[in-house]
Amino acid sequence: MRKPMMAGNWKMNKTWAESVVLAQGISNRCDDAWDAVDVVLCPPACNLKAVHTVLEFDRRDIHVGAQNCHWEEGGAFTGEISIPMLEDIGVDHCIVGHSERREYFSETDEMVNRKVMALVNHGITPIVCVGESLAVRDAGTYLEFIVNELRADFAGLEPEEAAKCVVAYEPIWAIGTGRTATPEQAQEVCSAIRAALSDLFGEEVASGMRVLYGGSMKPANVEGLMAQSDIDGGLIGGAALSADSFAELVEACLK
């Protein structure tokens, strides 16, 4: 059985003080039952240490994740954050290849691949995002597109390295639009992702890797999505900005 994961991507939201309040609110909702779920909070980079401190003080088994990183150890990369810097403040997960990074900041599969390999080498869990635009979806080529993206992002990894990664399926047409893939649409793609992982790394590795759904998951639709055999949790956007709604999503994994 794969352990469910709920990862909250706060994106460019919440000041330092607001991040502390949100992290504290989630911590207050946490109880022993949450041990059955890997819960990850991904605040803006400037608030990572504050969120980690809240969770550490409360002794909560909740992970802290970054929203991005650079693959180099250090150097003349103004504005970037290295993986050793993230390690130093207690980060143990990192989102890579999010559709917004690809679209707005021109990240390529090659860049994503370099980040994945560097994170694995440092023992930080990459949450690798793949997904299709509305144009690709309407063209009917979305499965081929996503599998090709997946292959490029995982190029060069050994099976034991891939096993340390998480994949998040983002139907880009369902992010921030209020639209959501039906459970059946989400399952079709997540199943194809697992099949591609099996081709790349073997059935045993693929069956153990978690595939998250990342397109407007919220309390109103979480049960239908989590009932699908190849969906192991969510990469949550808007619903992660409220302690109550995010806690509902975590608790939905316990049913």
Side-chain angles (χ1 to χ4, degrees), residues 45-68:
C46 56
N47 301 332
L48 283 165
K49 183 59 178 177
V51 169
H52 182 269
T53 299
V54 169
L55 301 174
E56 185 177 45
F57 183 83
D58 286 354
R59 299 183 180 180
R60 298 304 191 194
D61 187 18
I62 295 177
H63 303 279
V64 178
Q67 298 177 17
N68 187 33

Side-chain angles (χ1 to χ4, degrees), residues 10 21-30 34 39 41 62 240 243 246:
W10 298 2
V21 170
L22 179 54
Q24 188 65 68
I26 293 170
S27 176
N28 290 345
R29 289 287 299 265
C30 178
W34 283 32
V39 180
L41 305 184
I62 295 177
F246 187 68

Side-chain angles (χ1 to χ4, degrees), residues 44-136:
C46 56
N47 301 332
L48 283 165
K49 183 59 178 177
V51 169
H52 182 269
T53 299
V54 169
L55 301 174
E56 185 177 45
F57 183 83
D58 286 354
R59 299 183 180 180
R60 298 304 191 194
D61 187 18
I62 295 177
H63 303 279
V64 178
Q67 298 177 17
N68 187 33
C69 67
H70 198 283
W71 56 85
E72 292 289 353
E73 299 278 312
F77 301 100
T78 299
E80 292 293 326
I81 300 172
S82 73
I83 297 171
M85 293 173 185
L86 297 176
E87 283 184 298
D88 191 52
I89 56 175
V91 169
D92 54 15
H93 288 66
C94 185
I95 301 168
V96 291
H98 192 280
S99 59
E100 291 158 3
R101 297 294 312 174
R102 294 177 189 262
E103 180 180 359
Y104 302 140
F105 303 100
S106 303
E107 288 197 4
T108 64
D109 284 320
E110 180 185 2
M111 295 166 69
V112 173
N113 177 245
R114 294 178 76 172
K115 293 179 184 186
V116 171
M117 297 190 77
L119 286 164
V120 168
N121 287 338
H122 279 271
I124 293 180
T125 300
I127 301 175
V128 186
C129 301
V130 296
E132 82 279 17
S133 66
L134 182 60
V136 173

Side-chain angles (χ1 to χ4, degrees), residues 143-223:
L143 293 180
E144 179 183 0
F145 177 89
I146 291 165
V147 168
N148 287 339
E149 198 170 50
L150 192 76
R151 289 178 177 275
D153 294 344
F154 280 83
L157 267 72
E158 297 297 326
E160 61 271 19
E161 295 172 323
K164 300 173 183 177
C165 300
V166 175
V167 179
Y169 166 52
E170 303 181 283
I172 299 170
W173 47 272
I175 298 175
T177 63
R179 296 177 60 180
T180 310
T182 66
E184 293 75 21
Q185 287 174 320
Q187 167 60 21
E188 178 193 25
V189 176
C190 291
S191 175
I193 287 171
R194 200 174 304 283
L197 291 171
S198 181
D199 288 343
L200 289 169
F201 304 114
E203 184 176 350
E204 183 177 355
V205 169
S207 65
M209 290 178 68
R210 287 171 293 186
V211 180
L212 311 181
Y213 174 76
S216 297
M217 182 184 280
K218 47 189 177 287
N221 60 33
V222 62
E223 290 189 14

Side-chain angles (χ1 to χ4, degrees), residues 6 29-31 33-34 37 39 222-223 243-255:
M6 279 293 168
R29 289 287 299 265
C30 178
D31 59 28
W34 283 32
V37 183
V39 180
V222 62
E223 290 189 14
D244 287 342
S245 63
F246 187 68
E248 284 188 57
L249 295 178
V250 174
E251 288 159 7
C253 297
L254 305 174
K255 296 179 179 179

